[in-house]
Amino acid sequence: MELSNKIRLGIALSGGGARGIAHIGVLAALENYGIYPQAVSGTSMGAIIGLLYADGKKPKEILEIIKRYKFASIMGLNIARTGFIKTKRIESFIDENVVAKTFEELKLEYHVSATNLNEGAYRIFNTGELKRPVLASASIPVLFQPVDIDGDLYVDGGLLNNLPIEPIKKSCDKIIGVHVNRNGRKDDIKSMKSVGDRCFRIAIWQTVRERLKECDFVIEPIKVYDFSTFSFDKADQLFEHGYNSTEKSILQLFEQFDLDKIYQKSNEMNGIRTYK
């Protein structure tokens, strides 16, 4: 018996570029202990990983897809006339790897956060067409071309909501938040690029800190903080950091959610390890 049969569990996956690959390791570790989220909410890379998971892909399968498509090259080509990077290659990635075309066709409840530039507010998408909301959520401001949805322009959801817990709070008993961005002190700020990057991260952190407090459990694979937004060539290492961080906190997770009372011995017979 899976734990999700007793507790409706939701998981929110933050944005973070390549660091978001750690989300795959988190999902793999949870499944290894019989914990299967029934609702997924994500922003930017968290939205992409969440989409593949909600579409029915297993964590290791998602990892191989990300490695095969070399996201660093996907993000670095096809400059648009406006000076932005086009989202066409990410669009092709979704077309080739996601079976569902609408939110309703997904195997799990799924929500994605994107920022409406015209309104100056974030929007949670969870019905209708899938592709454009996910593209919008992954469109880093200034770097990527904004995505037009119903006449308004949308960019990365992390700008205003990098950990979209709001929709899964309504439908789930417990929420796990996974955060993959550095938010502590940083001293090496010398170049124009480093100043811009630091400003962006500080702004994003303001959208996360209060939401983390509202999660029932938080997983922060801090070792991924040493990787850059475009370290997609380090996918295996990022996966391992996400997996190991989750495994180290699994006992605390069981105790906090009181899962030890409902965890079934039969899981061991199915190859799912128990915590001891």
Side-chain angles (χ1 to χ4, degrees):
M1 182 182 294
E2 297 172 3
L3 295 178
S4 57
N5 289 340
K6 296 291 185 179
I7 292 177
R8 183 168 176 77
L9 176 66
I11 189 165
L13 308 176
S14 78
R19 292 182 296 275
I21 295 173
H23 293 317
I24 311 173
V26 171
L27 292 168
L30 291 175
E31 286 198 356
N32 197 41
Y33 286 86
I35 302 173
Y36 295 83
Q38 294 171 296
V40 185
S41 184
T43 296
S44 199
M45 195 62 185
I48 291 174
I49 301 303
L51 172 61
L52 293 169
Y53 191 68
D55 197 48
K57 307 289 191 298
K58 301 299 290 182
K60 282 296 184 70
E61 183 181 0
I62 297 173
L63 177 62
E64 291 308 312
I65 290 172
I66 296 297
K67 289 165 62 176
R68 185 168 69 248
Y69 277 81
K70 302 183 186 305
F71 260 71
S73 63
I74 286 178
M75 290 186 170
L77 298 176
N78 294 335
I79 302 298
R81 292 179 182 176
T82 57
F84 299 115
I85 298 175
K86 291 183 178 179
T87 57
K88 188 172 182 60
R89 296 192 71 192
I90 302 179
E91 184 176 354
S92 297
F93 169 84
I94 295 173
D95 287 337
E96 293 168 15
N97 293 284
V98 179
V99 176
K101 303 303 179 185
T102 67
F103 284 87
E104 290 78 9
E105 294 172 7
L106 291 168
K107 298 182 183 299
L108 295 177
E109 176 187 332
Y110 173 68
H111 309 267
V112 59
S113 170
T115 299
N116 185 317
L117 288 180
N118 300 93
E119 295 288 344
Y122 76 85
R123 176 179 171 183
I124 301 294
F125 292 87
N126 47 28
T127 61
E129 179 202 353
L130 264 173
K131 187 162 55 178
R132 282 186 295 170
V134 176
L135 288 175
S137 185
S139 296
I140 301 172
V142 181
L143 183 61
F144 279 91
Q145 189 176 35
V147 177
D148 187 308
I149 301 177
D150 299 328
D152 280 353
L153 296 179
Y154 288 83
V155 294
D156 197 319
L159 190 61
L160 294 178
N161 190 344
N162 202 41
L163 193 73
I165 62 171
E166 289 81 0
I168 55 177
K169 280 180 63 179
K170 298 177 181 178
S171 63
C172 297
D173 301 310
K174 299 288 184 180
I175 299 173
I176 295 176
V178 188
H179 180 239
V180 296
N181 292 310
R182 180 186 295 276
N183 56 310
R185 180 179 174 82
K186 184 175 176 62
D187 293 313
D188 186 21
I189 307 173
K190 299 178 180 179
S191 67
M192 182 173 65
K193 179 181 178 182
S194 64
V195 170
D197 181 72
R198 182 59 172 165
C199 289
F200 185 58
R201 294 190 186 286
I202 290 173
I204 286 178
W205 171 238
Q206 304 313 308
T207 80
V208 172
R209 69 162 78 199
E210 293 304 317
R211 290 182 171 91
L212 285 175
K213 296 176 184 178
E214 296 185 52
C215 295
D216 297 291
F217 196 80
V218 173
I219 298 173
E220 290 188 273
I222 59 175
K223 288 187 177 181
V224 307
Y225 293 168
D226 295 329
F227 294 78
S228 78
T229 301
F230 297 100
S231 294
F232 289 96
D233 58 329
K234 308 295 185 184
D236 286 322
Q237 293 169 255
L238 290 161
F239 173 91
E240 288 299 324
H241 288 319
Y243 187 97
N244 293 337
S245 179
T246 305
E247 190 166 55
K248 287 178 181 178
S249 61
I250 204 70
L251 177 59
Q252 183 183 355
L253 174 62
F254 269 71
E255 291 175 342
Q256 190 159 328
F257 284 9
D258 208 18
L259 299 180
D260 55 318
K261 294 183 179 180
I262 62 172
Y263 190 68
Q264 301 297 313
K265 182 74 173 178
S266 60
N267 275 340
E268 289 185 286
M269 299 172 61
N270 293 324
I272 300 174
R273 287 180 291 174
T274 58
Y275 74 95
K276 294 294 181 185

